[in-house]
Amino acid sequence: MSGSENTAKLNFLGHAGYVIERGPLYLAVDPWLDGAAFDNGWDQLVPAARFDPQRVTHLWFSHEHPDHFSIPAVKSIPAERRSQVTVIFQETADKRVVSFLRNNGYTRVIEVTPGQRYDLGGGAVLTTVPARDGDSCHLLELGGLRVLNFNDCYYTSVAEVEDVMRAVGVKPGEVDLMATQFSYANWVGNPGDTERRRHAARRKLDHLVMQMRTVRPRYVMPFASFVYFSHEENAYLNDGVNLPSTAVARVREEGYTAVMMRPGDTMELSNEGFRAAAEATNERAKELDGAVEAVRRAEKPLRKSAAVPLDDVLTTVRAGLGRLRNGVSRLDRTLMRLRLPRAVFELSDHRVLVVIERLEDVRVEPLNGAVSADVVLSSEALRFAFAQDFGFDTLLVNGRFHEARAGGAGVVMTLCGQFGYVRRKVSLAASILRRRLVEAPRLALERLRNRALAP
């Protein structure tokens, strides 16, 4: 892997996005270039660098979340060039992403099955493996070089990571560069729950460590966490996020070499390039730390939302519940009602309660104490949550709500899961059986294995 004119380069765009460039190959991975994400809940910590839309030969997207599958980035490639770009995306039941791409002029859209190797040309091969919650990772092989991109993929055990490694065809110690998320990226508690968020941040680093110990890569690139909660309703969530330098220190504590990239940085994918990037990591991490600290000092702008008319909110809620009822089987619908017989949302800007009974009846109640709210949120946030089948997923990520009672967030999580079954065309009943009969025994065995291997 010595440097040469044909050596690949990684041009970091920002957050989880980068470009791999070697000869004619110009592969853009999860580019997010402009604007907010997750219903105006996230912005980039540092402005993204640009890619050359005239040179893009391939696009790969890990999943549909807007900080990875960014519609402005997709549309930044001129319409006349889109038919010349090959897009690689995991095979999904809903076909939402691939349909959108094809409707916008991308005629070379390749849906890859789990573990399918796709030849990019020039000796470059990309293998994609799906993960839970619609995410996916990939292994990029460039001759003798291997880059494993875990982005947001969450694995509960060593066994799951080992499964991924088998699917992409690598053994421990064979990956040159592993890239992975390093801080939490979702709702974690109410404004006063700072220690809860710090605990979540530590757990995220523990997860990174589990990946490292299993993969045993030569270099580790913490990334996919260069964002901040950027709405006035969720800005408090920034108080516990991991600093980039904290992630670097944890990588080094485990005996691995960290590389940290800033938007616009370029790293040659060679021995010399990796070493140079590692040597520059302290300075880069310190600069990125400064951006996090500026957020905590309230020096970065926050977004605001206007109140939505109550009638519009109620119409959207009823329409969303109709999609939910009609999108699942009768058995699943019954199970969903048992799981969530009632949901109560307090609208902070209208000072009323929206009460949902049995996923069907919707009514408005006054704030008189007769009915207790589960969560508090703005009318705009609630409307968005019901307007899209991924709306509650967005709400959990952007954290634009507070618990009104202990455990109230469970309502948001339950609705997120229920709309997820509709979106992915998956049976709730079948999923429950699989978790209890397959996944639970496997996790129990994994715990026993970890206990046996513990010093």
Side-chain angles (χ1 to χ4, degrees):
M1 288 202 313
S2 297
S4 71
E5 292 183 1
N6 295 320
T7 298
K9 295 179 181 179
L10 187 154
N11 304 313
F12 191 62
L13 302 176
H15 188 46
Y18 56 80
V19 169
I20 297 292
E21 182 181 354
R22 188 177 73 167
L25 175 67
Y26 198 92
L27 166 68
V29 171
D30 282 349
W32 172 26
L33 307 178
D34 297 294
F38 293 109
D39 189 24
N40 288 319
W42 283 18
D43 276 88
Q44 296 209 49
L45 187 63
V46 179
R50 321 308 292 180
F51 63 55
D52 187 344
Q54 296 293 340
R55 296 185 59 199
V56 175
T57 59
H58 296 79
L59 286 166
W60 182 85
F61 300 106
S62 58
H63 57 301
E64 193 180 350
H65 279 175
D67 59 319
H68 297 262
F69 181 71
S70 168
I71 290 176
V74 168
K75 292 186 174 181
S76 71
I77 296 178
E80 63 273 13
R81 282 216 69 248
R82 295 174 191 173
S83 63
Q84 304 168 44
V85 177
T86 300
V87 187
I88 302 124
F89 191 70
Q90 59 176 308
E91 188 176 48
T92 60
D94 59 22
K95 309 293 183 185
R96 283 170 49 89
V97 169
V98 296
S99 296
F100 177 86
L101 290 165
R102 288 167 180 156
N103 290 337
N104 280 271
Y106 290 91
T107 57
R108 299 180 184 177
V109 181
I110 309 298
E111 295 180 83
V112 290
T113 56
Q116 179 181 339
R117 290 166 57 84
Y118 185 79
D119 189 347
L120 303 176
V125 178
L126 192 68
T127 306
T128 302
V129 177
R132 67 184 71 242
D133 299 326
D135 209 332
S136 70
C137 67
H138 76 229
L139 178 77
L140 175 64
E141 299 172 84
L142 291 160
L145 174 77
R146 295 182 177 93
V147 177
L148 184 58
N149 180 340
F150 277 139
N151 59 88
D152 300 354
C153 292
Y154 183 76
Y155 305 107
T156 59
S157 67
V158 169
E160 283 190 305
V161 180
E162 290 174 337
D163 284 347
V164 171
M165 295 174 68
R166 280 190 289 271
V168 299
V170 294
K171 297 178 181 178
E174 292 183 345
V175 169
D176 296 289
L177 178 67
M178 184 187 87
T180 190
Q181 189 182 49
F182 68 88
S183 194
Y184 64 82
N186 51 274
W187 178 85
V188 187
N190 283 351
D193 297 332
T194 302
E195 185 52 41
R196 180 176 174 181
R197 286 184 284 281
R198 289 172 178 162
H199 176 70
R202 291 192 294 268
R203 288 190 61 187
K204 197 64 184 176
L205 292 179
D206 291 341
H207 184 250
L208 185 156
V209 167
M210 184 265 285
Q211 292 176 337
M212 288 192 300
R213 291 177 177 176
T214 309
V215 176
R216 302 211 313 257
R218 296 178 62 225
Y219 294 88
V220 178
M221 184 171 80
F223 84 144
S225 297
F226 299 122
V227 297
Y228 71 103
F229 296 92
S230 59
H231 199 283
E232 62 180 3
E233 296 166 10
N234 66 6
Y236 70 91
L237 291 167
N238 294 303
D239 62 3
V241 298
N242 284 320
L243 291 171
S245 61
T246 303
V248 168
R250 189 65 184 275
V251 170
R252 290 171 175 167
E253 285 171 7
E254 291 293 318
Y256 295 90
T257 304
V259 294
M260 182 68 69
M261 304 288 286
R262 302 162 304 187
D265 285 339
T266 295
M267 175 170 61
E268 187 178 88
L269 299 180
S270 66
N271 289 325
E272 294 85 354
F274 287 137
R275 282 196 293 268
E279 290 172 1
T281 286
N282 284 349
E283 178 184 349
R284 293 170 175 175
K286 183 178 180 181
E287 181 179 322
L288 292 165
D289 284 355
V292 177
E293 289 159 355
V295 170
R296 292 176 177 172
R297 293 193 300 267
E299 294 174 2
K300 284 186 174 288
L302 297 179
R303 297 177 183 271
K304 300 180 180 181
S305 298
V308 175
L310 186 56
D311 286 345
D312 289 355
V313 175
L314 297 176
T315 298
T316 304
V317 169
R318 292 187 176 108
L321 292 173
R323 293 196 315 276
L324 182 60
R325 292 192 300 270
N326 296 330
V328 297
S329 68
R330 183 174 297 179
L331 173 60
D332 283 353
R333 189 159 59 247
T334 300
L335 289 171
M336 287 178 176
R337 286 174 173 172
L338 290 172
R339 281 185 154 193
L340 191 64
R342 172 187 277 192
V344 184
F345 301 95
E346 179 183 329
L347 299 185
S348 57
D349 43 11
H350 287 290
R351 303 296 295 160
V352 297
L353 301 176
V354 175
V355 182
I356 301 170
E357 301 277 3
R358 301 181 304 280
L359 298 179
E360 187 166 339
D361 299 325
V362 181
R363 69 178 188 273
V364 176
E365 294 275 358
L367 292 177
N368 58 13
V371 178
S372 298
D374 296 306
V375 297
V376 181
L377 73 174
S378 67
S379 56
E380 194 275 336
L382 184 63
R383 182 181 65 173
F384 187 93
F386 277 98
Q388 307 287 345
D389 290 345
F390 55 81
F392 279 95
D393 181 51
T394 294
L395 188 60
L396 281 171
V397 173
N398 70 27
R400 288 178 54 188
F401 69 94
H402 297 169
E403 281 188 319
R405 62 169 182 83
V411 168
V412 177
M413 295 175 187
T414 300
L415 283 165
C416 174
Q418 291 178 349
F419 275 104
Y421 291 117
V422 174
R423 187 174 71 250
R424 299 191 302 271
K425 305 184 189 309
V426 175
S427 165
L428 170 59
S431 297
I432 292 173
L433 289 173
R434 185 177 64 252
R435 284 198 299 271
R436 292 186 177 179
L437 299 179
V438 178
E439 295 179 7
R442 178 179 179 177
L443 287 174
L445 289 173
E446 176 68 15
R447 284 193 291 269
L448 290 173
R449 175 192 178 191
N450 291 342
R451 193 175 302 165
L453 294 175

